[in-house]
């Protein structure tokens, strides 16, 4: 340790939280003489700032590259950033790793190849007009993201003046291809969230959690948040074209807490897409939030009460909020959407319902993640179920009548929250290339099935299924973000759909095709523009590579086509996948911008046979652009990225031109200095507004920052 003058005396570490922690478990070499002291050591006279800085720096250096990292929390910190043996870390599945689940390096084994022969030469015969069976017209922003409300301060930013740059970049990638992005802030934590004027800890936070009051299977903490969360969301929309969904607390209905209705409408304005009326109400009885007889007519009555309340209590003074509601948001657990339709719900509230929505996961891992006492599922056994085209078809078959019903009512039908498996996903599936392939297939099948959009859900550090994950706050100075497989799926889907908002999807019925090699065609105004080919098989020998022989009746084939590949060496690979040669790296390696040179393949066509043959490796996925105008990468908005030059825990920030915030559309509260309005409220106030862009740094930055302030 250091003495009061900053001189090296001995190596001791105070660790007050866990009595069974060893020096080795902290990743500090025993040879350096570190020893653990009881928590009482914290009461000793502190070393100098120089001494504390060097000790912390050495500790951080020892931790870098160390595989087993456990992030502990003190009272009031984010519960989602903790791990324990047998919890979400997957420790009981691997026997060794004890860190956050999001960074668990454990891989599964690729499943064996099918014993039956698989058709590897696929005749993809398209027509230039007259095709039937296509989906409704879909938007490029079809796939969005659902962010658990309790982790918004980790994903979006610390507050309205400190925005996470990697998040801006990740959304910018989608915007570049699709034109805009849908993001839902909510989930289980929205149900008991309370909008407050101030928080107990007034240190720039936008939310706080009561970790002693957790409820439900997923141990959801009650949440307090301030209006600054909404200003943070609004300021994000000033940089990238993100449009938002929020949720109304629904646990208490007499009366409803409608504070979010007024605040979201005033602050987000036209960037507010909709307000969710209840989150999976068909689970309320199971989780103890309603009585045993609660059902679809009860939900209808509550919806009616809510509409009447915001119409009369001033929460919706201009009447807009009551026209952008979302229901019934069922998980198809206690009752089905059809049973809700049978109550007359949609007809009775047609003027209030902007969207109809459901939420669904194909499986759950709750027993493993939350020790529910249920049967623990072996991910290795589950893996093959995600490597077949039958998986997305089976989960969506139950909704085909509902999407048809929605069309008769002229209502968009959303998959409001989804992912590989509820309760955090599966180790080795949700965080591997398997999920990337499944996610593309699932997204295209959703579009083909006439959903109008879907959102991949993400939580904190202790889940496997995140599309992207910010580093733990105490590591943000030297670790970057981790981009998961489902973000790649979303990026591919944005490019498959494009920004025309005219795309129609068809799951091609090819004779003899196997469940492992689905093919989709994407049309615009009846003309085939793109073809997506997925190969779920895992065979490094090349024997199960697929050749798609594409032809288009009624027109002359082009001389060549362009192809982008989603690639990895195996379906169980973790991280470092590539989309058109570019990657977001492995754990802790991304600032949200694709790395590497883009690689778009050119495939020459056979002018005599009038075919283009595109090979897809096993495993892999290819997106074929059938003409130059079919390419969509830059079709949304011009590419905009944000450099990560600021470091957290220092005084450096990146400032944004205040005019961006002062003249952007949608805001309504002109008296807030960061409220963007179409008409600048006060140029003097606006000029004081700057937005710091929070980023992650490197270890050297930590060292210099600490020593510089010693």
């Amino acid at each position: 340790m250091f003495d009061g003058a900053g001189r090296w005396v001995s190596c001791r570490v105070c660790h007050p939280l866990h009595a069974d922690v060893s020096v080795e478990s902290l990743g500090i070499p025993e040879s350096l003489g570190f020893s653990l002291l009881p928590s009482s050591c914290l009461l000793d006279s502190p070393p100098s700032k120089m001494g504390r800085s060097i000790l912390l720096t050495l500790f951080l250096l020892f931790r870098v590259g160390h595989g087993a990292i456990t992030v502990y929390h003190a009272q009031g910190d984010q519960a989602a950033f903790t791990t324990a043996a047998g919890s979400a870390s997957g420790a009981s599945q691997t026997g060794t790793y004890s860190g956050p689940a999001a960074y668990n390096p454990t891989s599964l084994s690729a499943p064996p190849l099918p014993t039956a022969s698989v058709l590897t030469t696929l005749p993809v015969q398209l027509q230039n007009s007259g095709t039937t069976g296509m989906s409704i017209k879909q938007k490029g922003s079809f796939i969005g993201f659902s962010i658990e409300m309790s982790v918004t301060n980790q994903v979006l930013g610390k507050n309205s003046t400190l925005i996470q740059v990697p998040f801006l970049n990740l959304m910018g990638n989608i915007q570049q291809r699709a034109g805009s992005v849908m993001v839902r802030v909510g989930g289980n934590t929205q149900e008991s969230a309370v909008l407050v004027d101030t928080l107990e800890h007034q240190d720039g936070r936008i939310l706080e959690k009561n970790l002693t009051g957790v409820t439900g299977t997923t141990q959801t903490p009650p949440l307090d948040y301030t209006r600054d969360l909404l200003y943070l969301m609004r300021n994000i929309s000033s940089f990238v074209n993100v449009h938002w969904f929020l949720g109304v607390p629904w646990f208490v209905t007499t009366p409803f807490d409608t504070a979010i209705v007024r605040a979201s409408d005033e602050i987000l304005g036209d960037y507010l897409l909709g307000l969710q009326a209840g989150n999976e109400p068909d689970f309320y009885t199971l989780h103890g939030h309603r009585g045993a007889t609660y059902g679809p007519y009860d939900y209808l009555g509550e919806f009616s009460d809510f509409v009447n309340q915001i119409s009369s209590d001033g929460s919706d003074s201009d009447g807009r909020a009551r026209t952008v509601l979302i229901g019934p948001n069922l998980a198809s657990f206690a009752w089905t959407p059809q049973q809700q339709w049978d109550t007359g719900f949609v007809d009775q509230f047609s003027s209030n319902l902007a969207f109809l929505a459901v939420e669904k996961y194909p499986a759950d891992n709750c027993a493993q993640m939350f020790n529910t006492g249920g049967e623990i599922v072996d991910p290795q056994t589950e893996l093959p179920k995600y490597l077949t085209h039958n998986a997305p078809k089976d989960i969506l078959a139950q909704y085909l009548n509902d999407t048809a019903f929605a069309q008769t009512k002229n209502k968009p039908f959303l998959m409001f929250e989804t992912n590989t498996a509820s309760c955090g996903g599966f180790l080795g599936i949700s965080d591997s290339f398997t999920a990337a392939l499944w996610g593309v297939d699932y997204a295209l099948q959703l579009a083909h099935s006439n959903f109008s959009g879907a959102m991949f859900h993400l939580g904190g550090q202790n889940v496997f299924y995140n599309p992207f994950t910010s580093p733990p706050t105490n590591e943000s100075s030297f670790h970057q973000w981790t981009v998961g497989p489902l973000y790649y799926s979303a990026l591919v889907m944005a490019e498959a759909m494009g920004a025309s908002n005219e795309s129609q999807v068809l799951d091609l019925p090819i004779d003899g095709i196997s469940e492992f090699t689905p093919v989709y065609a994407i049309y615009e105004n009846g003309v085939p523009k793109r073809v997506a080919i997925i190969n779920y098989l895992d065979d490094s020998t090349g024997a199960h590579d697929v050749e798609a022989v594409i032809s288009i009746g009624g027109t002359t084939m082009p001389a060549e086509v362009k192809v982008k590949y989603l690639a990895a060496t195996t379906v169980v690979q973790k991280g470092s996948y590539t989309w058109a040669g570019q990657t977001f790296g492995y754990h802790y390696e991304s600032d949200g911008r694709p790395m590497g040179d883009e690689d778009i393949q050119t495939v020459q066509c056979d002018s005599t046979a009038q075919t283009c043959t595109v090979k897809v490796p096993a495993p892999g996925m290819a997106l074929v652009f059938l003409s130059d105008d079919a390419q969509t990468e830059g079709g949304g908005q011009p590419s905009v990225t944000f450099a990560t030059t600021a470091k957290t825990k220092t005084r450096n920030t990146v400032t944004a031109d205040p005019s961006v915030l002062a003249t952007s559309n949608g805001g309504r509260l002109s008296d807030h200095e960061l409220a963007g309005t179409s008409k600048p409220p006060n140029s003097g106030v606006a000029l004081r507004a700057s937005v710091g862009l929070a980023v992650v740094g490197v270890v050297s930055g930590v060292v210099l920052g600490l020593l510089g302030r010693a």
Side-chain angles (χ1 to χ4, degrees), residues 377-644:
V377 178
D378 178 13
Q380 187 67 59
T381 302
E382 293 295 299
L383 178 63
K385 300 177 184 178
Y386 288 83
L387 292 168
T388 165
H389 185 45
N390 291 336
K393 290 176 65 177
D394 288 346
I395 190 175
L396 297 178
Q398 62 189 297
Y399 296 116
L400 297 181
N401 288 338
D402 301 312
T403 59
F405 170 79
Q407 291 174 62
T408 67
K409 302 300 181 181
N410 199 29
K411 299 293 182 185
F413 195 85
L414 301 178
M415 180 63 75
F416 208 64
E417 177 185 322
T418 192
N419 206 299
T420 47
S422 62
C423 294
F426 290 116
L427 171 67
I429 297 175
S430 305
D431 53 358
S432 73
F433 192 58
T434 292
L437 295 177
W438 174 87
V440 173
D441 195 3
Y442 183 36
L444 287 166
Q445 192 66 28
L446 280 158
H448 169 73
S449 302
N450 292 326
F451 281 77
S452 292
M455 281 165 281
F456 290 146
H457 193 61
L458 63 109
Q461 307 286 319
N462 250 12
V463 297
F464 301 112
Y465 61 25
N466 284 345
F468 40 84
T469 308
S470 64
T473 51
N474 61 345
E475 298 180 19
S476 61
S477 300
F478 57 95
H479 275 154
Q480 298 195 81
W481 282 39
T482 300
V483 175
L486 283 184
Y487 180 78
Y488 287 82
S489 305
L491 194 65
V492 172
M493 186 63 177
E495 207 153 332
M497 295 294 98
S500 70
N501 296 334
E502 298 287 339
S503 294
Q504 295 175 276
V505 180
L506 178 61
D507 184 356
L508 292 174
I510 299 172
D511 288 341
I513 195 170
S514 82
E515 63 187 276
F516 307 110
T517 58
V519 181
Y520 294 88
I522 297 96
Y523 300 77
E524 293 180 9
N525 299 312
V527 177
K529 291 291 185 179
R530 293 170 289 280
V531 175
I533 310 145
I534 300 168
N535 190 346
Y536 280 118
L537 298 172
D538 193 313
D539 184 1
S540 60
T541 70
H544 287 85
D545 289 356
V546 165
E547 288 190 338
V549 183
I550 303 171
S551 62
I552 307 176
T555 188
T556 301
M557 290 294 292
E560 62 184 28
V561 294
K562 303 292 185 182
V563 184
K564 287 188 174 185
Y565 287 97
L566 180 62
T569 57
T570 172
V571 294
V572 294
Q573 178 177 320
K574 290 198 169 188
S576 300
Y577 327 113
T578 59
W579 170 238
Q582 296 181 309
T583 184
F584 295 96
Y586 189 57
H587 297 160
Y588 305 118
E589 290 185 350
S590 179
D591 68 356
R593 295 179 290 184
M595 297 180 287
D597 296 328
E598 187 174 47
D599 180 17
I600 305 176
Q601 299 287 316
T602 299
V603 174
Q604 300 298 322
C605 300
D606 187 329
S607 59
T608 302
Q610 284 293 288
T611 58
C612 303
T613 301
V614 176
K615 178 175 285 190
V616 185
M621 178 267 168
L623 184 61
V624 184
F625 302 91
L626 299 175
S627 60
D628 289 340
D629 66 353
Q631 297 188 59
T632 56
E633 182 176 339
Q637 293 192 22
S639 176
V640 177
T641 59
F642 302 88
T644 53

Side-chain angles (χ1 to χ4, degrees), residues 2-19:
F2 298 90
D3 64 12
R7 294 171 298 192
W8 181 263
V9 178
S10 63
C11 305
R12 295 187 295 172
V13 178
C14 300
H15 199 287
L17 296 180
H18 293 265

